[in-house]
Amino acid sequence: MTETREHRLKRMKMRAMRRGIKEMDIILERYADDNLAQMDDSELDLFDALLLENDQDLYQWVTGQQPAPERFARLISAISVAISGQN
């Protein structure tokens, strides 16, 4: 059975806001609220894959403490800009 887009967005939003550490809850929930509905399928696939990553790694990537893997570099950059309030 194939997941509907509506169900997928709800699942991903829930996963974004129920992380292991509170900082990533806040960061990813905010990004998901502002961006998920406008993402195409390939962007959703990438965000879904990002949600499987370890919170400690994600936090270091988003805050620039460590470089993000090439696969996630553009998405991490977009998340970092979104949470900083810069455009």
Side-chain angles (χ1 to χ4, degrees):
M1 184 168 165
T2 304
E3 184 178 41
T4 66
R5 180 174 174 87
E6 178 184 5
H7 185 265
R8 184 178 192 192
L9 294 177
K10 286 179 183 179
R11 176 183 55 77
M12 291 171 69
K13 181 167 176 359
M14 182 63 69
R15 182 66 181 112
M17 62 188 261
R18 305 258 178 176
R19 306 294 306 173
I21 59 174
K22 189 64 176 172
E23 292 86 347
M24 290 314 302
D25 290 350
I26 294 166
I27 291 168
L28 292 179
E29 180 181 11
R30 179 176 169 189
Y31 186 80
D33 283 344
D34 293 344
N35 295 282
L36 281 185
Q38 294 82 29
M39 289 180 167
D40 64 26
D41 287 341
S42 64
E43 292 168 323
L44 289 173
D45 290 344
L46 186 61
F47 190 75
D48 215 0
L50 184 77
L51 294 174
L52 297 174
E53 296 294 323
N54 180 289
D55 273 354
Q56 288 77 16
D57 293 336
L58 284 172
Y59 187 75
Q60 289 185 351
W61 301 339
V62 169
T63 60
Q65 296 174 38
Q66 293 289 326
E70 186 62 35
R71 174 181 184 199
F72 297 123
R74 290 182 62 192
L75 178 56
I76 292 294
S77 179
I79 293 169
S80 297
V81 168
I83 65 167
S84 72
Q86 299 173 5
N87 289 325

